[in-house]
Amino acid sequence: MSAAALRAGDAVRRAGRLFAGLLPGRADWQNARRSPRRDLLAGLTVAVVALPLALAFGVTSGLGAQAGLVTAVVAGAVAAIFGGSNLQVSGPTGAMTVVLVPVVQQFGAGGVLMVGALAGLILIALAVARLGRYVRYLPAPVIEGFTAGIAVVIALQQVPAALGVTAAHGEKVWAVAADAVARFAAHPRPAAIAVALGVAALMLLGGRWRPAVPFSLVGVAAATLLAELAPIDLARIGELPQGLPAPSLDFVDLGALGVLLPSALAVAALAALESLLSATVADGMTVGERHDPDRELFGQGLANLASPVFGGIPATAAIARTAVNVRAGASSKLAALTHAVALAAIVLAAAPLVGRIPLAALAGVLLATTVRMVEAASLLALMRATRADAVVLVLTFAVTVIWDLVTAVVVGLAVAVVLALRAVARSAKLEQVPLDTGEHSDEEHALLAEHIVAYRLDGPLFFAAAHTFLLELAEVADVRVVILRMSRVSTIDATGAQVLGDAIARLRGRGITVLLSGITPGHDQVLSTLGVADELRREGLVFADTPAAIRYARGVALAASPA
């Protein structure tokens, strides 16, 4: 065998190890054999719900209704096949449009497609690095804060279409909404706002009355029929081509990688976050289902690589459509795949009819969707939980609305981490404890109590709590021996170890004998690596338990006392 063949074989084996566990297998489709009819019906149900949402999100993103449909078809199919959840449904989402609107404004449609492809590569890299599991550590106030913020941003995005205004301008979404309101006040168009509010009201009220009925589709159909029959002026989606666009890589611009990378990172972060949260919600709605977070990232990465090739926008899993899929009885990936195929059939057969849908009707669909996104009870519960949770939630919400989603998540996480460290640091205690010196006379007890003091360290000794510990220990005075009981230290880092060393040095500098007891093996390794207490070890002043340290301290105190 040639050297080239050997190298090729090695490359294939390395690739196999790299993607081990991420590619679909025969077991993924075993569930589909048990109840294929139920999965097919669930997929058709989700397609009916997803159609108006895909159109609306495509329009809101700035690339048009066709881009939304293409995304739902292509990304929905690819994510269904390669994703890590049996129940997940993917496509365009409102949260993603929030990130894409500024990208469209700055880089145009080609920039959005390039950002989507880059985000796909980033998601695949995250999957290969097996980082999917870490999303579970995102604090609940951050999630609820940016979800509520997304709902407000999506609602603000619908204001121009709901008011029938097509020329509103502004750098931020709230500025565009304010400009649209001003233009509407100057030239009112009651038809558009009536249609938008009517569709939203039908979805919200009808959903409570008959949850199984797709009132979003009913509302859009009724608004389209009204616009066709009544003499009212409503802006429409416009002509849509029948069928999917031909695949193309014309959008690829390697020279723009550096400029587009920050936006791609934002899109990838949002896709990972929303998809894994959606999969977690789906798991919670069923019994026995557990998604694979790394495979889910891999599937979403491939979906975002495929979608731009056909002119689609970046995609994520959609919590609303996934929930409909679960409630409709889906049990396998066949349902999500059916949803994508059904939407493709609609694109092929009914594109002219879809193009007649009023934009105000789609605005109404998204206005109702934003109302459903916000769980008021959950928000109130978090606001009342602790002051720190309330601060993180409100701050994340405000930054989402005023600036952007990714900044909001970063700020929310940073504040949550700082507040958590503050709370953990406050749990660290340095507590003086009484000495158990055995059977001795009252005079001896008094002598030992006067010259020996024992402190128990409770909790974490790390950078956020270490300096408080140093200040407390530095106040020790008028004793000959200090015993530091370390058995209850939960964790210790380099800063904590160094501060402990400083405290020992200060006490010894004042002529006080310092004894350590109960150091656990893990903490002992940190102290030894940094050279903390090495001198104590050489002098035999480090003890396995506290009674041994007390016996030694008693000898020191008695030897130093006057006869």
Side-chain angles (χ1 to χ4, degrees), residues 447-448 480 552-563:
L447 172 66
L448 297 177
R480 293 175 181 165
Y552 185 92
R554 186 177 61 214
V556 173
L558 293 175
S561 62

Side-chain angles (χ1 to χ4, degrees), residues 168-213:
H169 298 288
E171 292 187 3
K172 296 292 183 181
V173 63
W174 46 266
V176 176
D179 186 48
V181 170
R183 291 173 184 268
F184 176 81
H187 302 285
R189 294 184 179 182
I193 193 171
V195 167
L197 293 179
V199 171
L202 178 64
M203 286 180 61
L204 295 173
L205 298 177
R208 289 190 174 185
W209 175 53
R210 288 285 190 273
V213 177

Side-chain angles (χ1 to χ4, degrees), residues 467-488:
H467 294 287
T468 302
F469 157 77
L470 175 61
L471 290 175
E472 291 184 25
L473 197 56
E475 295 177 358
V476 175
D478 299 327
V479 295
R480 293 175 181 165
V481 183
V482 170
I483 302 173
L484 298 180
R485 300 173 59 177
M486 305 282 291
S487 59
R488 293 194 183 183

